[in-house]
Amino acid sequence: MIEIRFLHAFNDNYIWLLHARGCVAVVDPGDAVPVLDYLERSGDRLCAILATHHHGDHVGGVEEILARFPVPVFGPALENIPGVSHPLAGGERIEVPQIGLELKVISVPGHTRGHIAYYGPSLGSDGAVFCGDTLFGAGCGRLFEGTPAQMQESLARLAALPASTLVYCAHEYTQSNLRFALAVEPNSIAVQRRCEEVDELRAAGCATIPTSIQAELETNPFLRWDEPVVRAAAASRLGHVPVDAVETFAAIREWKNRF
Ligand code: ZN
Ligand code: FE
């Protein structure tokens, strides 16, 4: 049975650890220090590094970790990440045999050109997806390298996973994202309730991640392009009725950039 743990890095990054039988695979080690500390403290053996995209807060620690522990490094083929031994484009299945881990790779461009997510249908009891900076708690990543159409398609791909799937994103942004979600859907009971839950968690110093696909479908304005209220909010930003999901998504994303 694989257990999922996390380490904090920088202000609000999570480095996810997949742990079994005294071994760990690490997802998005932006900083080597907390990972090396963890390995020393726990005595666990590192068996793989998984990267979702090339930003420094996700891969900045890879080379330093590799210098100490030469392990396979999985990462996006389209991006230039030092140390990647297994370049991935999406659609592959990967294995980390030491911990009995099998993951499907999903291509999710938009935040960056080659961004990938790792989906484990049988991780935990409900499945888990590691989606880096694509889908956040009540939000989504900025479009640094991709188009709104790409990002909307990527988010739709994640939204189509089983609703019970737990979502392990790379940042603790849920609380501020919910302020925006409430501006988009001020009358949503689901958003209001989630604001209260998340405020309590943060006040107690707890993580709001993982979230679930179900919770995101109910409260994340960046997955709710078909909802009349979200479409109306997009229309008032655009000055016309959005023609499709992409235009709705683009208008909401643009609004969030200035929020
Ligand atoms: Zn990023
Ligand atoms: Fe990031």
Side-chain angles (χ1 to χ4, degrees):
M1 182 73 176
I2 295 174
E3 189 195 330
I4 301 171
R5 304 174 175 173
F6 67 86
L7 303 170
H8 289 286
F10 311 112
N11 279 336
D12 48 37
N13 280 74
Y14 291 122
I15 299 174
W16 298 104
L17 301 172
L18 292 90
H19 175 274
R21 308 169 198 154
C23 291
V24 285
V26 61
V27 183
D28 282 353
D31 188 357
V33 174
V35 177
L36 295 173
D37 280 354
Y38 169 87
L39 293 171
E40 186 154 333
R41 203 168 64 233
S42 65
D44 287 348
R45 228 155 17 90
L46 185 70
C47 55
I49 297 173
L50 283 68
T52 62
H53 68 292
H54 69 87
H55 287 158
D57 62 312
H58 300 256
V59 296
V62 171
E63 283 183 296
E64 197 180 331
I65 295 169
L66 272 186
R68 292 275 305 278
F69 304 100
V71 295
V73 181
F74 298 90
L78 276 178
E79 301 186 354
N80 190 15
I81 302 171
V84 169
S85 57
H86 293 64
L88 302 165
E92 300 91 344
R93 276 170 185 279
I94 64 166
E95 270 185 61
V96 181
Q98 295 92 331
I99 54 174
L101 177 66
E102 275 183 48
L103 295 168
K104 295 181 185 179
V105 182
I106 307 174
S107 168
V108 288
H111 177 68
T112 62
R113 212 162 79 76
H115 202 305
I116 53 176
Y118 298 92
Y119 170 53
S122 56
L123 264 182
S125 47
D126 298 310
V129 65
F130 298 87
C131 57
D133 288 357
T134 298
L135 177 64
F136 291 130
C140 75
R142 283 176 186 266
L143 306 185
F144 286 120
E145 299 172 14
T147 63
Q150 280 179 317
M151 189 61 153
Q152 190 270 339
E153 195 186 335
S154 295
L155 290 168
R157 218 166 269 158
L158 296 175
L161 294 174
S164 60
T165 306
L166 295 183
V167 177
Y168 293 83
C169 56
H171 290 272
E172 181 59 65
Y173 288 160
T174 316
Q175 194 171 35
S176 65
N177 284 341
L178 279 167
R179 300 288 165 261
F180 177 71
L182 202 54
V184 178
E185 297 188 84
N187 298 317
S188 162
I189 303 290
V191 174
Q192 291 167 12
R193 196 176 300 140
R194 192 171 182 197
C195 280
E196 286 166 23
E197 286 166 11
V198 161
D199 286 350
E200 276 177 34
L201 283 170
R202 296 308 291 152
C206 297
T208 68
I209 308 300
T211 169
S212 67
I213 294 293
Q214 179 72 41
E216 298 314 314
L217 289 172
E218 288 170 1
T219 59
N220 189 325
F222 298 103
L223 298 182
R224 293 170 58 75
W225 44 71
D226 285 335
E227 289 298 317
V229 176
V230 176
R231 285 173 48 81
S236 74
R237 309 295 302 180
L238 291 164
H240 63 263
V241 175
V243 295
D244 57 14
V246 173
E247 197 176 18
T248 301
F249 169 77
I252 300 294
R253 183 60 259 184
E254 188 58 31
W255 179 11
K256 173 73 160 59
N257 292 347
R258 295 152 204 283
F259 187 73

